[in-house]
Amino acid sequence: MASAIGSPSRSGRPQPRLWMVFAAVGLAGFVLTLGGLAFVRVYDNQLIRQTEMELLTQGAVVVELYRATLAERVGDGDYGRTRTAKWPFPIPDDKRLRPILPSLKASDEPLPADEEPPRALVPGEPWALETGLKLNPLLENVRAATLAGIRVVDTSGVVVASSSPAVLGTTLADRPEVQQALRGEPASVLRRRHSEAEDTPLASLSRDTGIRVSVALPILQGERVWGAVVLARTPMTFAKATYADRWNLTATGLVLLGALGLMSLAAAALLGRPVRALVKQTRAIAASAPEGYEPLARPVVAELAELSESLAGMATALRDRNQYIRSFAANVSHEFKTPLASIQGAVELLRDSADVMTPEQRTRFLSNIDADARRLTRLVQRLLELARADSITATPAQVELAPLLKAVTARAHAEGLERVDVGPVPEGLTVALPSDVMEDVLWQLVTNARQHGGEDVRVSLAVETQSDGVVRVVVRDDGRGISESNRARIFDAFFTTARERGGTGLGLTISQSMLRAFGSSLELLPSSPETKGSAFAVAVHQRK
């Protein structure tokens, strides 16, 4: 009969589920997208911090130049204002070090744009103005090279030195970063920038962005603040930085594109190849080709492996079922052909020669017709029973063995079989079978024993329990037994050695079909020279 459909994979290698493949592809795409967004954000932060670091570096040099130049004039005098703010960055063990770290981010809220600073109401401190005059040419040259605006303010916020002479004498005291620097703490802020029409070309020197980085560094002499240096520069835009680094970014993009292509090829290999193999397998099944009955060797994905195994199992089951139907139809045809031919011959003889026949001859032919008709009736009845057994629906049921075996014994005694007995049965032992199925199977085995061994045959029923949860009901007789040549065919449909006694050869086949529906089986036990007769076992696998 048909083999099991969807048998387990023969490969012990674990296979990913289909949802895992889609999840991996989706996750990879999400990571690439998120990575791209993160790259843009990190790149923006890097551009801003790069500009901030450049300004801090330039400012530190200007601070030191201004402080050294002013110290020559001030000497040991009590100049400037007392420092009131702590240094915001960790101080190393070496007290001579005073690090300044970049702190700006692209997500920081920018301050309003720089407006033209107002003129100071009071002039700058004289020593600061003299020092600033010496630094002005230097600051203008630095601006020409770095494009950064540099201003030096005294302790009141008045510009005393600048890379742009036009702002000398103005005041920056109202700006938060300058106020913070005059308290002795460096400050970095983002400010909005007025757009300029000439900033549009990607290759231009101007950095076309809407913000400007502003850095204010205090000029410290011990714990006194002598002023501050204010620097401003527009950071590079992402577009211009990309344009400037276009060749490296192009190479990176090609690598990412290649990685995406490899991922697509991998997904195609994981899904496309086995799907095409499945299509080929279904076509082979339709053409009854041998390769259609074998599952795919390496389907990769677990669902496709299960589908291929199910297709192979289904094809095998259909093939076996088809062979069974053909064999069954041939056997049915053969079983019906003999009695029908006998009936047809007897009818023809009676029709043609009834007038010249003796009453004994007519009675004999009519008896033959009656016997053949009864045989056909038994065959039809058994075929209907076999059809019901093949299509039976298994429903959970339990039957207690002791009362059932006693009922079978009583029925045998009522039918004239006095030598039928039951061995010890554990009290309360039940099996997972409907009572009518178990009774029909046991009665079939008892009637088979009488049919082959006669009315005096001895039949014993015994119960055996096994450690694996299988309960076996053994039906043993002391009849003629079964020859070795017949043992291999005992469960074949229509095979019988008692045809002249009304046997149809379907009883064991029907019993097997009914038990198979409930996960149980009917077994022919081995014979031995020491024991007479034959023995069958109904093996019931208990449900847990």
Side-chain angles (χ1 to χ4, degrees):
M1 289 294 290
S3 60
I5 297 177
S7 56
S9 174
R10 293 172 294 176
S11 174
R13 180 170 54 87
Q15 297 165 325
R17 310 295 296 184
L18 194 58
W19 68 266
M20 295 181 182
V21 176
F22 288 122
V25 173
L27 181 61
F30 173 76
V31 169
L32 286 176
T33 303
L34 189 63
L37 294 175
F39 170 76
V40 172
R41 198 63 174 171
V42 170
Y43 204 41
D44 277 338
N45 285 335
Q46 184 62 28
L47 291 173
I48 290 174
R49 291 192 176 185
Q50 179 182 350
T51 302
E52 182 186 6
M53 195 65 213
E54 293 172 356
L55 295 179
L56 291 174
T57 303
Q58 297 175 45
V61 175
V62 174
V63 165
E64 186 57 30
L65 286 174
Y66 182 84
R67 187 199 62 79
T69 305
L70 184 58
E72 296 176 356
R73 302 296 305 274
V74 174
D76 296 330
D78 190 12
Y79 182 78
R81 62 170 66 180
T82 303
R83 178 183 173 193
T84 59
K86 294 182 178 180
W87 198 254
F89 304 105
I91 303 296
D93 294 337
D94 189 349
K95 300 301 182 182
R96 296 173 300 173
L97 301 180
R98 188 179 288 124
I100 305 176
L101 305 178
S103 59
L104 292 177
K105 301 185 296 294
S107 58
D108 291 344
E109 184 66 24
L111 300 177
D114 284 337
E115 300 295 340
E116 288 294 331
R119 304 300 299 182
L121 299 178
V122 295
E125 199 278 323
W127 287 345
L129 287 173
E130 293 180 10
T131 304
L133 288 176
K134 296 181 179 180
L135 291 183
N136 282 334
L138 174 65
L139 298 182
E140 292 178 9
N141 291 332
V142 171
R143 179 179 182 274
T146 65
L147 304 180
I150 307 173
R151 301 168 188 177
V152 180
V153 299
D154 62 9
T155 55
S156 300
V158 178
V159 178
V160 295
S162 175
S163 58
S164 298
V167 298
L168 290 174
T170 60
T171 179
L172 303 179
D174 59 340
R175 299 190 178 182
E177 63 271 28
V178 175
Q179 296 172 2
Q180 185 173 336
L182 291 178
R183 290 195 297 270
E185 180 182 355
S188 298
V189 297
L190 294 178
R191 285 191 173 275
R192 300 189 186 279
R193 173 178 177 267
H194 296 292
S195 60
E196 299 176 11
E198 65 272 13
D199 289 345
T200 53
L202 289 176
S204 66
L205 290 177
S206 178
R207 298 177 176 181
D208 184 16
T209 185
I211 60 173
R212 188 187 300 272
V213 176
S214 180
V215 173
L217 300 179
I219 302 172
L220 298 178
Q221 177 67 21
E223 291 301 317
R224 306 289 293 179
V225 180
W226 285 5
V229 176
V230 183
L231 304 96
R233 177 75 168 102
T234 302
M236 184 76 76
T237 64
F238 179 76
K240 287 195 173 185
T242 303
Y243 178 79
D245 203 23
R246 56 189 179 278
W247 301 118
N248 290 334
L249 292 176
T250 300
T252 304
L254 291 176
V255 171
L256 292 177
L257 188 62
L260 186 59
L262 290 177
M263 288 175 54
S264 301
L265 290 176
L270 286 173
L271 299 178
R273 183 186 61 80
V275 167
R276 289 192 296 271
L278 282 174
V279 172
K280 184 178 179 181
Q281 182 182 6
T282 57
R283 290 174 179 170
I285 292 173
S288 299
E291 55 268 22
Y293 302 100
E294 293 293 331
L296 301 183
R298 293 182 299 276
V300 181
V301 179
E303 284 86 354
L304 297 180
E306 294 172 3
L307 178 58
S308 176
E309 290 161 2
S310 297
L311 285 174
M314 180 190 67
T316 302
L318 291 176
R319 179 189 62 187
D320 294 345
R321 173 66 67 175
N322 186 44
Q323 292 175 352
Y324 171 76
I325 291 174
R326 288 182 180 181
S327 175
F328 186 81
N331 290 329
V332 169
S333 175
H334 176 74
E335 293 295 324
F336 274 69
K337 185 176 181 180
T338 300
L340 285 175
S342 177
I343 292 173
Q344 184 179 7
V347 169
E348 289 178 355
L349 285 173
L350 288 172
R351 184 181 57 200
D352 296 339
S353 307
D355 296 338
V356 298
M357 287 184 180
T358 64
E360 293 79 7
Q361 288 177 326
R362 285 196 299 270
T363 300
R364 180 164 55 86
F365 281 120
L366 289 174
S367 297
N368 290 340
I369 292 174
D370 181 65
D372 288 333
R374 290 177 183 274
R375 175 168 175 76
L376 287 175
T377 301
R378 286 195 302 272
L379 280 172
V380 171
Q381 182 180 358
R382 289 309 241 170
L383 288 173
L384 291 175
E385 292 174 3
L386 180 59
R388 285 194 295 268
D390 282 340
S391 60
I392 192 172
T393 301
T395 55
Q398 293 284 333
V399 60
E400 188 174 351
L401 283 180
L404 179 67
L405 296 182
K406 290 179 181 179
V408 172
T409 304
R411 181 179 176 183
H413 293 167
E415 293 283 340
L417 285 172
E418 298 296 334
R419 303 180 65 187
V420 177
D421 55 71
V422 180
V425 180
E427 188 68 25
L429 178 62
T430 61
V431 293
L433 275 179
S435 60
D436 56 342
V437 172
M438 177 62 89
E439 184 176 358
D440 287 347
V441 172
L442 294 178
W443 183 248
Q444 177 65 50
L445 296 175
V446 171
T447 55
N448 277 4
R450 178 175 62 177
Q451 192 176 51
H452 293 277
E455 297 293 337
D456 295 332
V457 68
R458 183 181 184 85
V459 180
S460 63
L461 287 77
V463 176
E464 300 176 356
T465 58
Q466 298 178 348
S467 59
D468 57 357
V470 177
V471 177
R472 294 156 63 94
V473 181
V474 180
V475 181
R476 192 182 305 272
D477 66 69
D478 60 355
R480 295 191 303 267
I482 304 172
S483 66
E484 288 299 324
S485 59
N486 289 339
R487 292 180 70 86
R489 304 174 58 195
I490 195 68
F491 292 111
D492 291 350
F494 300 105
F495 174 76
T496 180
T497 58
R499 198 176 305 277
E500 69 281 357
R501 295 188 295 274
T504 61
L506 291 175
L508 295 181
T509 305
I510 294 171
S511 298
Q512 260 197 338
S513 295
M514 287 192 297
L515 292 174
R516 187 184 298 116
F518 293 90
S520 302
S521 61
L522 179 60
E523 304 170 357
L524 174 60
L525 300 182
S527 61
S528 64
E530 294 79 12
T531 58
K532 293 175 58 180
S534 59
F536 290 85
V538 179
V540 183
H541 299 263
Q542 299 290 73
R543 292 185 176 91
K544 296 183 179 180

